[in-house]
Amino acid sequence: KSLTLQTKINPQLSRETDSLSSDDAFTDTDTSIGALSSLDELVADKENGQKVFNTQPLNEMGFAQIQDYVSELANGLTDPNKAQIRELVYDETIKYQEKHADITVYDMQCSNQLCGIILQSDNTDTISQSLDDLISNNTVRQNSKGGLSRVYTENNVEYGLLIAVITDDGITLQ
C-alpha cells in the first residue's frame, strides 16, 4: 500500500504564486503521464513570459515512476551554472545525511530547471523533518525558486521527495 503527503513550497510567499487557477495554465500543453518524457516538461512558459511548474501530473504518479523521472533529470543538465547549483545542493544533502544516521539519500539529480532529491528512512516523522530541514537550508533556499515536497510509504519504507525549481526566473507553482 502506498501513502502520499504533498506540500507546495514557495520561498517568496507571494500572492502571485498562488493566483493561477487550474484553467489558466497549460491549456495547450499535454502533460498527462503518458505524454510526459521528463519532469522538465512540467515547467512551461506562459504567454506573459512567466514560468509555471505544473505539479498536477505528479498527483497521478506512483513512487516508482517518480523515482525514474528523478534519476532521468541528469540527462537534462547541460548548463554549467546549473551543474554548480547541483553540486552545492548535493553537498548540503550529503552533509545532512552524515549528521542524521536514520536518513539515506536515495537519489539526487538536477536538470537545467529542476533538482529532485529522494530521501529514505524507516520513520515518517524523520522523513518529514528532513524535508523541512532541507527546504529551510540556506544553500537550497538561495538556489531554488520554490518547489514541491512529498512523503511516500512503500513496503514499510518511508521516502521523502523534494523537487526544487532552479530556473533563473521566478516561477508559479500550480
Side-chain angles (χ1 to χ4, degrees):
K1 187 173 178 185
S2 190
L3 215 78
T4 304
L5 172 71
Q6 173 180 328
T7 308
K8 287 185 182 177
I9 307 156
N10 177 5
Q12 284 78 30
L13 297 175
S14 71
R15 291 183 185 269
E16 179 183 11
T17 299
D18 297 325
S19 65
L20 289 179
S21 73
S22 58
D23 296 339
D24 289 340
F26 302 101
T27 50
D28 56 0
T29 305
D30 184 0
T31 54
S32 67
I33 291 176
L36 196 65
S37 63
S38 154
L39 289 179
D40 281 330
E41 292 176 18
L42 298 178
V43 178
D45 292 316
K46 293 281 289 174
E47 290 174 15
N48 62 3
Q50 173 73 32
K51 285 191 178 289
V52 177
F53 178 30
N54 179 10
T55 62
Q56 298 306 314
L58 297 171
N59 296 331
E60 302 168 32
M61 291 183 199
F63 179 69
Q65 195 170 16
I66 295 274
Q67 266 181 284
D68 291 343
Y69 281 122
V70 167
S71 67
E72 291 172 9
L73 282 173
N75 297 332
L77 184 59
T78 57
D79 181 332
N81 294 327
K82 301 307 179 189
Q84 186 174 11
I85 289 173
R86 185 220 177 269
E87 290 305 313
L88 291 169
V89 171
Y90 179 78
D91 289 347
E92 290 300 316
T93 305
I94 294 302
K95 282 182 201 172
Y96 188 86
Q97 174 183 269
E98 290 169 354
K99 292 178 186 172
H100 298 85
D102 50 352
I103 288 291
T104 302
V105 177
Y106 188 83
D107 198 0
M108 194 258 152
Q109 302 296 333
C110 295
S111 67
N112 290 343
Q113 300 186 98
L114 301 170
C115 281
I117 302 169
I118 299 175
L119 305 176
Q120 179 181 342
S121 178
D122 295 330
N123 184 308
T124 304
D125 293 336
T126 301
I127 284 289
S128 295
Q129 184 60 53
S130 298
L131 288 172
D132 289 345
D133 291 347
L134 281 175
I135 292 163
S136 302
N137 176 285
N138 281 336
T139 301
V140 175
R141 277 195 6 245
Q142 289 170 4
N143 289 290
S144 68
K145 305 287 188 208
L148 169 131
S149 70
R150 284 195 179 160
V151 174
Y152 294 88
T153 302
E154 293 280 329
N155 301 320
N156 296 323
V157 178
E158 305 297 322
Y159 296 94
L161 169 69
L162 173 61
I163 299 178
V165 177
I166 60 168
T167 58
D168 293 330
D169 306 319
I171 196 155
T172 299
L173 300 178
Q174 176 186 337

